[in-house]
């Protein structure tokens, strides 16, 4: 759209910025707690909230504490929580069988949350990295991350999550063909109403570093994820991935990381009009929270400004570790 403007002084764009009331009237974008999905880290034990060193303010919580967090999230108006397990290294294996154990941490937490706060949507993560001994999202054979055998395992993992009561399944693995395979399995398994939020345009990013610390995958990871996650130089390819995942049955799509990829969010929304989410990832959180801790930026303001940017870029919502803190501010 090309703005049509009368010449100065008929047009003085500062007129609409003069007072808070006028600025309220012409504001184009809104941010509410309803825009957030809150990622939380789950660990074993009881009564535990253990700080993640590289993510100031973020905890690994035992299931009882995750339930308490879920109750808090719901009270704040946050519609969804997303679970990431920190799996005991003793339960990680080459066959990744813990990924579809009905009683693994993710499934146990899902059941506990749905029992305590049924109205809060629970999103779960589909990928093998919390369960593999290589730190990769798929099986590794002769140095290669193999696609089709991984997809078969992801299907088992997703079905166990749906069985536990997950509302939204988030495949973050970037294997080809997994959305179609998951959709068919969910339909066949009686889970017609389970949503797939595809991590469709997920880049091989250095911004995931603190997350890998949080889930204990940093030490394990051998090599990098460049044969399945996207090259940060590419944008057209992101559109092809999103088109592909929507055609295979994704209900919603995600761009990840967030802040450095707002151009991808905007293009995706304009091109497809599908429910579009961005993931403000761990490294983005660490930068903002770390700078705020040091007094280098105003933490509350950079938090809200960064989150508003996702809405302005066309996103319907954002996965953010700031969710409860931002919701508290917005509810004031
Ligand atoms: C792995 C996964 C990652 C994140 C979510 N799921 C890391 C990775 O791909 O290595 C990153 C989230 C974050 O950095 O906050 N399946």
């Amino acid at each position: 759209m090309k703005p049509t403007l009368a010449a100065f002084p008929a047009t003085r764009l500062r007129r609409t910025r003069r007072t808070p009331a006028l600025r309220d009237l012409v504001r184009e974008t809104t941010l509410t707690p309803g825009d957030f999905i809150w990622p939380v880290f789950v660990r074993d034990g009881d009564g535990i909230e253990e700080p993640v060193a590289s993510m100031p303010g973020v905890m690994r919580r035992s299931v009882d504490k995750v339930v308490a967090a879920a109750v808090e999230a719901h009270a704040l108006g946050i519609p969804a929580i997303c679970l990431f397990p920190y799996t005991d290294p003793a339960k990680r294996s080459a066959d990744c069988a813990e990924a579809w154990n009905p009683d693994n941490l993710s499934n146990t937490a899902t059941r506990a949350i749905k029992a305590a706060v049924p109205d809060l949507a629970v999103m779960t993560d589909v990928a093998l990295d919390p369960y593999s001994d290589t730190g990769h999202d798929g099986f590794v054979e002769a140095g290669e991350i193999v696609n089709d055998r991984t997809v078969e395992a992801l299907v088992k993992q997703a079905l166990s999550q749906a069985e536990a009561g997950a509302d939204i399944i988030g495949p973050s693995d970037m294997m080809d063909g997994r959305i179609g395979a998951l959709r068919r399995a969910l339909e066949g398994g009686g889970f017609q109403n389970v949503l797939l939020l595809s991590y469709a345009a997920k880049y091989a990013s250095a911004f995931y570093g603190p997350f890998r610390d949080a889930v204990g995958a940093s030490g394990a990871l051998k090599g990098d994820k460049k044969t399945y996650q996207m090259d940060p130089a590419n944008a057209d390819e992101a559109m092809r991935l999103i088109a592909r995942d929507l055609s295979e049955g994704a209900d919603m799509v995600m761009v990840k990381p967030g802040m450095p990829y707002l151009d991808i969010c905007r293009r995706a929304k304009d091109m497809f009009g599908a429910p579009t989410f961005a993931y403000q990832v761990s490294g983005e959180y660490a930068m903002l929270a770390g700078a705020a801790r040091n007094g280098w930026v105003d933490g509350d303001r950079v938090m809200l400004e960064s989150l508003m940017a996702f809405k302005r870029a066309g996103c319907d919502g954002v996965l953010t570790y700031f969710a409860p803190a931002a919701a508290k501010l917005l509810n004031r």
Side-chain angles (χ1 to χ4, degrees), residues 248-263:
E248 290 184 12
D251 302 286
M252 311 187 278
V253 292
M254 193 200 297
V255 174
K256 179 183 176 187
M259 283 154 52
Y261 295 86
L262 292 180
D263 57 324

Side-chain angles (χ1 to χ4, degrees), residues 41 55 84 125-130 135 137 172-173 199 202 207-212 221 225 229 256 279-283 321:
F41 299 112
M55 300 178 74
F84 289 103
D125 184 63
V126 164
L128 299 181
D129 56 317
D137 295 17
S172 68
D173 55 282
Y199 288 62
K202 177 172 177 180
F207 286 98
Y208 306 149
F211 174 95
R212 292 178 190 166
L221 182 61
K225 299 192 175 185
Q229 299 180 349
K256 179 183 176 187
Y279 196 143
Q280 184 180 48
V281 300
S282 56
Y321 301 98

Side-chain angles (χ1 to χ4, degrees), residues 210-253:
F211 174 95
R212 292 178 190 166
D213 294 340
V215 298
S218 313
L221 182 61
K222 298 180 181 81
D224 58 48
K225 299 192 175 185
K226 291 180 185 170
T227 68
Y228 47 109
Q229 299 180 349
M230 279 186 68
D231 182 340
N234 294 355
D236 291 341
E237 186 187 1
M239 298 306 112
R240 297 173 72 210
L241 283 160
I242 292 168
R244 192 269 313 266
D245 285 3
L246 289 171
S247 77
E248 290 184 12
D251 302 286
M252 311 187 278
V253 292

Side-chain angles (χ1 to χ4, degrees), residues 128-144:
L128 299 181
D129 56 317
Y131 308 103
S132 65
D133 47 11
T134 62
H136 278 293
D137 295 17
F139 292 123
V140 184
E141 288 174 15
E144 191 188 327

